[in-house]
Amino acid sequence: MRKNKYQGYRAIDFLKDEDFLRWNFFKEENDNTYWKNVMEMSPELTPSIEKAILLYNTQVRLNDYSLAPEVIESHYTIFYQHVQQHRKRRSLYIWFSAVASLLLLFAITLIYQHSKEQPSELLEFVKATSFSKDTISKDIQLLVSSEEIIRIEEKEPTISYHSDSIRVTGKSVADLNASGYSRLIIPKGKRTRLTLSDGSTLHVNSGTEVIYPNRFTGNRREIYVNGEAFLEVTPDADQPFMVKTRDIEIRVLGTKFNVQAYEEDHDIQVVLVSGAVQVITDKDTPKTKLIPSQMYHYKEGQASVTTVDIEKHISWIHGILYAEDERLDVLMTKLSRYYGEEIMYDENVVNQRCSGKIDLKNDLREVLNGLTFSFPIETEYENGIFKVRTK
């Protein structure tokens, strides 16, 4: 055995290795000794080997790996030559090894091809744990298990996932259950910056839910977003990053983008800042690939792609809200979410449209009062509710 034969191997590389596949198929004693020596001589490879064994035994979906027909043919040729060269010495054993390896390589390809038809564990978790937003308190809620809920009173805390703990604004608040999921619920009027286990960060806006694994495993990273978030994804070609919403899926490798997908708004927007993403609605619809400065808009089953001013769509993370020929009632909904205050308005407000920039660091009273100078409206605050009506 050459000491550096497997230098730099990842789990997916071991799943393409003839010796590894034969070892897992036959479990022969000499192979057990061989791989034991590999791990003793190169202990840094042990995690990748163990991960490959887990993938082999559980048939975890290999979503971003497949073998082209010419590669499979090449493997077959190599195996056939290998059999011929050793026929006299170990013909039966090697022949079965070759066949087993080839079949497993075909199986990997088939698993990949059918992976989209298999249910997402994340979406199954989302469905199993959904509950009404009416029960949500004014605090940020972090559900790290079915029994443990962390309530955060801060208005804009930072939440980060580390190897052994979860921290809120630098303070450890819970041990990390690596195999579990977390559910982050941001009420109206609050926001947070979330750092996931892979280093990817999310600026999570008001009125948003994010569901994600405590630690990413396997060969893909999946999260679920109901609301709005700006993401900076850590690049990892071996683990593509996927954002799921109620109607679409966004696939990335490493990029910055904003996704707005509030269920109550009945439309979804994806704005790409840098890198590249693919947006998928369903298996019968072609994928839409975005380039920087493009926005994907999905509403009532119809999709469109336009070029936009990026800053106007991500400025909320800096406390600025842009409106561009926007209906006044839509603006009121956004202000209500951001400030966590109830705003009521009469039906005539719907006919008003506005364009401009709003400094969200100002008090809501100031913001609404400023609108009265530009529109024929008046505002009042009564019993904890802001009321907007046309003059």
Side-chain angles (χ1 to χ4, degrees):
M1 179 185 67
R2 291 177 294 157
K3 180 178 180 180
N4 294 323
K5 177 179 179 180
Y6 302 109
Q7 188 69 33
Y9 263 43
R10 303 156 300 171
I12 191 66
D13 298 315
F14 285 111
L15 287 170
K16 294 182 285 182
D17 183 78
E18 177 190 354
D19 294 330
F20 177 87
L21 292 171
R22 186 181 63 237
W23 172 43
N24 281 270
F25 188 84
F26 285 102
K27 296 297 183 184
E28 292 286 339
E29 185 60 34
N30 57 339
D31 284 332
N32 290 337
T33 302
Y34 174 89
W35 286 97
K36 180 180 179 181
N37 290 336
V38 169
M39 289 184 278
E40 288 178 351
M41 294 179 64
S42 302
E44 71 279 4
L45 293 175
T46 301
S48 295
I49 293 173
E50 291 176 345
K51 182 177 179 180
I53 294 171
L54 178 64
L55 289 170
Y56 177 92
N57 290 332
T58 61
Q59 295 186 356
V60 171
R61 297 181 295 277
L62 303 177
N63 300 285
D64 288 87
Y65 173 70
S66 63
L67 291 176
E70 61 271 18
V71 177
I72 295 174
E73 180 64 28
S74 173
H75 274 283
Y76 178 83
T77 301
I78 293 171
F79 294 154
Y80 181 78
Q81 293 172 352
H82 187 67
V83 171
Q84 294 299 317
Q85 293 169 2
H86 296 77
R87 181 180 298 275
K88 293 181 179 180
R89 187 159 50 91
R90 299 171 67 197
S91 58
L92 183 62
Y93 173 75
I94 296 175
W95 186 84
F96 273 114
S97 299
V99 172
S101 300
L102 185 60
L103 289 175
L104 284 169
L105 289 168
F106 272 114
I108 289 173
T109 304
L110 292 175
I111 290 170
Y112 167 76
Q113 292 172 343
H114 294 286
S115 63
K116 291 182 182 178
E117 301 175 5
Q118 298 181 5
S120 164
E121 292 181 7
L122 174 68
L123 291 183
E124 292 298 320
F125 178 83
V126 171
K127 293 176 183 178
T129 59
S130 61
F131 61 92
S132 173
K133 283 191 176 184
D134 294 338
T135 63
I136 297 175
S137 72
K138 292 291 184 180
D139 294 334
I140 293 174
Q141 294 184 71
L142 178 60
L143 289 74
V144 297
S145 71
S146 58
E147 295 84 20
E148 186 173 6
I149 300 178
I150 299 169
R151 300 184 184 277
I152 306 169
E153 296 182 356
E154 296 175 59
K155 188 174 182 179
E156 296 187 5
T158 59
I159 302 172
S160 56
Y161 281 65
H162 298 263
S163 60
D164 58 353
S165 65
I166 302 171
R167 301 177 189 175
V168 175
T169 317
K171 181 181 179 181
S172 178
V173 296
D175 293 332
L176 184 69
N177 175 13
S179 62
Y181 286 90
S182 287
R183 188 185 194 105
L184 177 63
I185 305 169
I186 311 297
K188 294 179 179 180
K190 295 191 175 183
R191 288 152 294 283
T192 192
R193 185 175 186 272
L194 170 66
T195 301
L196 301 174
S197 63
D198 67 333
S200 297
T201 60
L202 290 78
H203 295 267
V204 188
N205 207 352
S206 306
T208 298
E209 288 181 84
V210 185
I211 301 173
Y212 48 91
N214 293 334
R215 182 178 296 163
F216 293 112
T217 58
N219 70 325
R220 66 177 174 179
R221 296 169 287 170
E222 280 187 327
I223 70 170
Y224 182 86
V225 175
N226 172 17
E228 184 170 21
F230 175 76
L231 293 87
E232 299 180 55
V233 177
T234 299
D236 186 345
D238 295 328
Q239 280 191 310
F241 198 100
M242 304 181 187
V243 178
K244 294 181 178 292
T245 73
R246 70 180 186 277
D247 289 320
I248 69 169
E249 177 181 294
I250 307 159
R251 297 187 180 185
V252 304
L253 287 176
T255 190
K256 298 180 181 180
F257 65 100
N258 195 80
V259 55
Q260 185 181 104
Y262 290 100
E263 289 186 0
E264 60 267 29
D265 286 355
H266 306 296
D267 70 341
I268 298 174
Q269 296 178 2
V270 180
V271 176
L272 181 62
V273 176
S274 64
V277 301
Q278 284 185 333
V279 183
I280 305 165
T281 51
D282 57 61
K283 63 181 180 180
D284 298 322
T285 304
K287 301 174 184 177
T288 302
K289 186 174 181 179
L290 301 184
I291 61 175
S293 298
Q294 284 188 333
M295 178 178 77
Y296 175 93
H297 185 216
Y298 184 84
K299 185 174 184 179
E300 297 177 351
Q302 300 297 316
S304 63
V305 176
T306 56
T307 300
V308 297
D309 184 342
I310 293 172
E311 184 59 32
K312 292 182 178 179
H313 290 270
I314 68 170
S315 59
W316 63 268
I317 67 177
H318 304 300
I320 300 293
L321 179 63
Y322 280 92
E324 189 170 352
D325 193 30
E326 192 157 53
R327 283 183 4 213
L328 202 55
D329 63 315
V330 174
L331 178 62
M332 294 298 167
T333 298
K334 291 182 178 180
L335 291 175
S336 177
R337 281 185 189 136
Y338 194 90
Y339 285 97
E341 300 283 357
E342 185 175 357
I343 302 176
M344 296 182 61
Y345 48 83
D346 64 39
E347 59 183 14
N348 293 323
V349 170
V350 177
N351 300 319
Q352 306 289 332
R353 288 187 172 271
C354 61
S355 296
K357 180 173 70 173
I358 296 175
D359 190 342
L360 297 171
K361 292 184 285 294
N362 293 333
D363 183 80
L364 180 57
R365 294 173 187 267
E366 294 180 49
V367 172
L368 293 177
N369 186 56
L371 292 175
T372 63
F373 293 99
S374 303
F375 300 94
I377 60 174
E378 56 185 13
T379 67
E380 67 173 329
Y381 185 74
E382 183 179 357
N383 297 326
I385 300 174
F386 287 92
K387 297 181 179 181
V388 180
R389 61 177 66 91
T390 54
K391 294 180 180 178

